[in-house]
Amino acid sequence: MATLPVPETRPMLTLPGDPVRQILWRFADRFDLQMLVASSRGVARGTVARLVAAGERNTHEWTPAKNQMLQAFDQAGITAAFMEPAEGGFIVGPKNLALSLAAFELAWVDGGAATASLAGFLALAPIHERGTPQQVQRYKSLSAPPAPGEDRTPWRGAFALTEPIPYVGVDTGMLSGKVRVAEWNDGSEPWLQVDKRGRFITGIAFADFVTAAVVSDDDRIKGSCVVILEKSDEGTFDRGTPTKKLVHQLSSTGDPVFNLKVPASRIVGGYTVEGGVIVPNFNHGEIIEAVFRRTRVPVGLMTAAKLLSAVEPVIRYQRQRFRGAEGAKPGSIRYEQGIQQREDALHRLVDVWATGEAAASLGFAAARLFDALDPLEKQKNAILKERGIEGPRAEVKALRETEQHAVEMLSLAGDHPRFAERRTELLADPLIHFVLADAEANVLCPATKLWNTGHGANMLREAVSLMGGYGITEDCPGFLANKWMDAQLEATYEGPEAVQRRQLTVTMTGPVFLALFRVWARDMRRIASAHPGTGACTLASAMNLWLWSINYLKSATDPAGNKLYHGQRQGVTFPLADALCWLLASRAQILDVLELESSGASDSLAAEDLPATVEFLSDLCHTQAAQAAGEASRICAELVFGYNHHPRWDEKEHRRCFLSAEIEELEETMPGISAMALDVLASDGTHPQKAGPCAGCAGSDEFLRLQSKLTTCLTGSRLAKDRAAETVSKVTIPEALDYPAAGPA
Ligand SMILES: Cc1cc2nc3c(=O)[nH]c(=O)nc-3n(C[C@H](O)[C@H](O)[C@H](O)COP(=O)(O)OP(=O)(O)OC[C@H]3O[C@@H](n4cnc5c(N)ncnc54)[C@H](O)[C@@H]3O)c2cc1C
């Protein structure tokens, strides 16, 4: 078993700064992204922080002051980050990481501000993902901020899927919004009548256009689609009343009503006419899937930002808590350390910090993956089109063989030259790269949204609690109570946790993902031998336990003979999805720290305090890995054992069985042990039979072996937490927060 090396470095001096973050999250070579981070930070800690401090969150109305924030986004280049250079943007290539970084910076101060910027992108996303070239050109260039010298107010958009109860919410298929043919003269383009009510629609107070999901109410239109509505279209464009939100008040939300006549060219992605029927090229489900796949990642990163943003204000509060009191003179422990004298206060802050690091690592890994996936997806589409394969079903069928190749490729681990040759051969197929990235993205996206926001909200409560009563006041430095409440919205919109768990239920059991996960588990074991201080050992064991459990549960049944792993059986599938997310977040965190360790030395700024920073971040990894392993172990044990009836075992027989294993081990490890000693142990009278385990132990051996390995691999995790706590009590922080806490701007 790995033992933790005794640290030789002194504790980390300051909080990890930008050079460290750029390496961890892999944008050290992207000057464009570094500039975007700097300008987003300026808006967040300037305009946005002043709005919050001035009490702008206390009204549901869209105020002129809130509107200024949108202009600040435009001026800082945040709005243009979504656009291609030809549309008024400045970032070339995929923009998932860019948008995630901007959202992260804004959410560091206020989640609503981040949402206000993201919602505009969400409105454009259906057009960006599936729109016709004309639609893309029109709406993206109208939404781009004016170029220097141009006198134009940029358009803003809103995305309208959710409808008043009892229609669309988690279940996106239950559409009540309708589309009919309004006019269709021979040879000319049809006109549509769109009747849509929205619920909780972000950005509606100022939207110039809306992308709305509707279903056909006319025999001359097939299925469903997303249509683009403009505020000047003929009919009703009623923005509705503002939602009385308790959270994210810097974004606008309301329940609009639309009844508008629009040309059929507003159907996102276009349409064909077949036998006198308008057939949209994409139904609303296909468009929503393409959109949410990417947009959910920045939301997860918003909660990560808030967790990390809590660290500095909590440290400051803890240290300064007793200053000024009698008996707390400068130099005294009470003056210098304040609440940080107390182990629990430090340990809990370490937990918040470790969660924030893991959440950020997971989210940024997902964002980068989507950047890699975007060109692969385009290439895949081109190849399949060339082969005459079109439509989602034909595509799934066509990629099945590639999936088998991907699984084969992943199973050919090891250095045998024959393996390497076959691997190279398989990897020569561009489709295999798409299939691998796609399988991973289909898991990482819902995992980021689910774990970061759901568990993140729980941990923000912890952060709030560390500030005592101050934590639940408006004056709390870092706006922690706002951030805690806001996290609940992040866990809800763009699909609450149930939606993410439902998606994971399907994607995490795909053969390619499982093969990938097996490779990751092996890699983690390898990492453990070189970097035991990261907690990779316990994580690898937990990954193996999860793999064993999912395999077992996929074929196991309950006492009534019903399958355990089944879409309807959310009591099994959902907790397994949760367990996986813990493991994925911990893995991403460890991989980031390894990257820092290997690349940091060549970066003059990051290299400054590198060994100590790596040591500290590794301790956070270890702390997090131990917790992740514990969660996975608890969940898997409950599922593997919990669906059996408690065996009505014979206590005497069970004891004999238990002793049998114990004695067998004794005989093996102590061959010289006397028969008499064995007899004393087997004091039930009869010498144990080696007839296999009794009903109480049956079937559990392998699980218990893996679980016990996991437990013993926890070695050193609490030492790591102690060390991290020690650093937290010593690390230097700035004199004051770099954004206002409360009071008039
Ligand atoms: C401030 C805010 C802004 C928003 N912005 C937008 C926007 O811009 N555009 C837009 O279209 N929508 C928006 N929404 C709507 C948001 O996406 C929905 O609220 C969300 O998807 C959940 O739908 P619902 O509220 O109807 O919950 P419901 O569908 O009623 O679900 C409630 C709960 O029931 C459980 N549940 C439901 N179905 C299942 C299931 N199948 N399996 C297991 N459990 C289940 C879950 O616990 C779920 O959280 C916004 C919401 C808010 C609050």
Side-chain angles (χ1 to χ4, degrees):
M1 190 186 314
T3 51
L4 206 73
V6 177
E8 287 164 8
T9 52
R10 51 162 176 69
M12 180 176 75
L13 294 176
T14 54
L15 302 176
D18 282 327
V20 168
R21 295 295 177 202
Q22 288 162 11
I23 296 172
L24 284 172
W25 303 332
R26 325 294 162 83
F27 64 105
D29 57 347
R30 292 282 306 270
F31 187 62
D32 53 347
L33 300 189
Q34 292 166 23
M35 293 300 293
L36 178 65
V37 165
S39 59
S40 307
R41 189 173 299 169
V43 175
R45 301 183 196 191
T47 310
V48 172
R50 283 195 298 272
L51 287 176
V52 180
E56 281 289 318
R57 284 183 61 122
N58 297 335
T59 170
H60 307 296
E61 301 299 326
W62 190 249
T63 62
K66 292 182 192 177
N67 212 49
Q68 275 174 12
M69 183 182 68
L70 301 183
Q71 286 156 22
F73 293 162
D74 295 344
Q75 284 156 8
I78 299 171
T79 315
F82 188 76
M83 317 296 173
E84 297 301 324
E87 298 152 354
F90 58 96
I91 295 171
V92 181
K95 295 163 187 56
N96 301 286
L97 181 57
L99 300 182
S100 294
L101 285 165
F104 184 93
E105 285 301 328
L106 292 173
W108 187 276
V109 176
D110 187 77
T115 292
S117 100
L118 289 176
F121 306 143
L122 182 64
L124 281 169
I127 302 170
H128 173 76
E129 295 297 337
R130 294 288 181 262
T132 62
Q134 294 83 353
Q135 290 167 345
V136 173
Q137 169 62 25
R138 174 174 171 76
Y139 294 98
K140 286 179 81 181
S141 48
L142 279 171
S143 304
E150 208 185 348
D151 183 19
R152 176 173 63 79
T153 308
W155 274 30
R156 316 278 178 201
F159 171 80
L161 169 65
T162 310
E163 297 176 341
I165 283 173
Y167 294 104
V168 173
V170 163
D171 188 347
T172 55
M174 293 208 323
L175 276 173
S176 79
K178 296 286 188 291
V179 56
R180 301 177 196 90
V181 173
E183 250 177 70
W184 194 351
N185 300 321
D186 274 353
S188 56
E189 177 168 65
W191 282 79
L192 309 174
Q193 192 66 35
V194 177
D195 185 4
K196 169 91 183 178
R197 281 167 177 265
R199 177 168 56 113
F200 301 147
I201 304 306
T202 306
I204 197 61
F206 47 80
D208 298 288
F209 71 96
V210 174
T211 36
V214 284
V215 67
S216 168
D217 188 30
D218 194 317
D219 293 342
R220 289 166 297 169
I221 306 175
K222 189 172 173 213
S224 68
C225 60
V226 173
V227 282
I228 308 166
L229 310 173
E230 294 185 8
K231 66 176 179 190
S232 57
D233 285 331
E234 185 186 329
T236 306
F237 188 105
D238 180 350
R239 298 173 192 278
T241 46
T243 307
K244 294 196 171 70
K245 283 178 297 185
L246 294 170
V247 294
H248 280 218
Q249 292 94 338
L250 292 192
S251 70
S252 121
T253 315
D255 297 355
V257 179
F258 308 110
N259 196 327
L260 298 163
K261 192 172 154 189
V262 302
S265 60
R266 298 278 191 79
I267 295 175
V268 172
Y271 63 96
T272 54
V273 176
E274 292 172 22
V277 174
I278 298 170
V279 183
N281 289 337
F282 300 101
N283 65 38
H284 85 290
E286 286 161 357
I287 294 182
I288 289 164
E289 200 189 305
V291 167
F292 281 156
R293 229 179 146 201
R294 285 161 176 87
T295 57
R296 283 171 174 158
V297 173
V299 178
L301 278 162
M302 284 165 52
T303 320
K306 294 192 289 185
L307 285 162
L308 290 177
S309 80
V311 169
E312 188 190 316
V314 172
I315 293 180
R316 187 174 294 107
Y317 178 77
Q318 290 179 333
R319 291 206 188 141
Q320 296 179 350
R321 176 66 178 81
F322 305 122
R323 289 187 190 171
E326 271 177 50
K329 301 270 178 288
S332 68
I333 290 181
R334 210 165 157 72
Y335 180 94
E336 300 299 337
Q337 292 188 3
I339 297 176
Q340 293 207 330
Q341 296 167 79
R342 307 294 168 211
E343 185 170 270
D344 183 67
L346 289 170
H347 276 194
R348 284 180 192 277
L349 182 54
V350 166
D351 284 334
V352 171
W353 195 339
T355 308
E357 294 291 343
S361 292
L362 177 62
F364 284 121
R368 292 194 302 272
L369 179 62
F370 278 102
D371 275 359
L373 182 66
D374 282 353
L376 292 172
E377 195 166 21
K378 287 201 180 90
Q379 193 180 20
K380 177 257 320 179
N381 290 341
I383 294 172
L384 294 186
K385 195 167 174 199
E386 211 178 282
R387 293 181 190 170
I389 296 161
E390 272 181 74
R393 280 221 188 110
E395 197 173 287
V396 168
K397 220 168 126 196
L399 290 176
R400 207 157 283 149
E401 197 188 349
T402 317
E403 279 178 13
Q404 282 167 12
H405 287 163
V407 172
E408 182 190 345
M409 197 280 298
L410 291 167
S411 68
L412 297 176
D415 300 328
H416 195 289
R418 261 184 36 235
F419 286 5
E421 210 175 288
R422 178 69 180 143
R423 273 204 306 262
T424 313
E425 194 183 322
L426 289 168
L427 286 170
D429 176 7
L431 289 181
I432 206 171
H433 297 275
F434 166 76
V435 161
L436 286 167
D438 193 50
E440 189 177 344
N442 284 336
V443 170
L444 287 203
C445 170
T448 299
K449 175 74 163 60
L450 171 61
W451 192 81
N452 284 19
T453 63
H455 180 58
N458 296 342
M459 292 308 285
L460 275 161
R461 192 206 67 80
E462 280 286 315
V464 167
S465 79
L466 294 176
M467 303 287 271
Y470 217 5
I472 37 177
T473 67
E474 282 180 10
D475 305 333
C476 179
F479 312 128
L480 296 192
N482 291 347
K483 287 174 180 169
W484 169 35
M485 279 285 278
D486 285 354
Q488 183 52 42
L489 174 58
E490 286 137 37
T492 300
Y493 71 5
E494 292 206 32
E497 288 150 283
V499 174
Q500 315 309 322
R501 292 186 174 113
R502 211 170 47 183
Q503 194 184 336
L504 281 164
T505 298
V506 178
T507 57
M508 72 187 184
T509 48
V512 180
F513 177 74
L514 286 176
L516 205 53
F517 193 77
R518 230 166 267 127
V519 173
W520 291 351
R522 266 203 309 269
D523 287 349
M524 203 41 72
R525 183 70 72 207
R526 208 169 22 76
I527 290 168
S529 57
H531 302 270
T534 57
C537 187
T538 190
L539 182 61
S541 299
M543 290 169 92
N544 285 331
L545 187 75
W546 184 86
L547 270 172
W548 188 92
S549 303
I550 197 163
N551 276 336
Y552 168 82
L553 292 165
K554 274 193 325 193
S555 56
T557 54
D558 66 12
N562 298 317
K563 280 186 75 150
L564 287 183
Y565 200 93
H566 187 280
Q568 301 301 326
R569 199 133 201 187
Q570 296 177 341
V572 176
T573 56
F574 281 20
L576 261 185
D578 287 335
L580 174 66
C581 293
W582 278 93
L583 304 178
L584 293 174
S586 182
R587 172 179 178 266
Q589 186 184 7
I590 291 174
L591 294 183
D592 278 359
V593 174
L594 295 188
E595 173 70 17
L596 178 67
E597 188 174 21
S598 64
S599 307
S602 56
D603 181 306
S604 58
L605 290 172
E608 238 169 60
D609 198 21
L610 189 68
T613 306
V614 168
E615 170 92 35
F616 172 71
L617 292 177
S618 297
D619 286 338
L620 291 189
C621 286
H622 207 157
T623 302
Q624 190 62 29
Q627 218 191 328
E631 282 294 319
S633 169
R634 178 186 63 76
I635 292 171
C636 292
E638 248 187 74
L639 297 178
V640 168
F641 291 89
Y643 284 98
N644 296 327
H645 281 311
H646 197 280
R648 253 179 275 139
W649 68 52
D650 177 338
E651 185 55 41
K652 212 165 143 191
E653 191 196 337
H654 178 57
R655 173 149 178 77
R656 210 181 306 145
C657 167
F658 191 72
L659 281 173
S660 155
E662 212 171 294
I663 289 170
E664 225 173 280
E665 199 178 326
L666 268 179
E667 279 175 328
E668 242 174 59
T669 53
M670 293 185 174
I673 192 164
S674 71
M676 198 201 290
L678 292 175
D679 274 348
V680 171
L681 269 173
S683 53
D684 299 61
T686 38
H687 195 279
Q689 306 286 308
K690 290 180 186 167
C694 75
C697 304
S700 56
D701 290 14
E702 182 57 7
F703 182 90
L704 293 178
R705 190 186 68 76
L706 291 168
Q707 196 187 36
S708 131
K709 170 102 184 99
L710 178 160
T711 308
T712 50
C713 289
L714 290 169
T715 317
S717 60
R718 283 277 153 170
L719 295 174
K721 193 170 202 172
D722 279 350
R723 263 198 315 272
E726 172 81 8
T727 302
V728 168
S729 74
K730 300 227 158 69
V731 69
T732 307
I733 58 165
E735 272 298 303
L737 202 59
D738 64 354
Y739 54 95

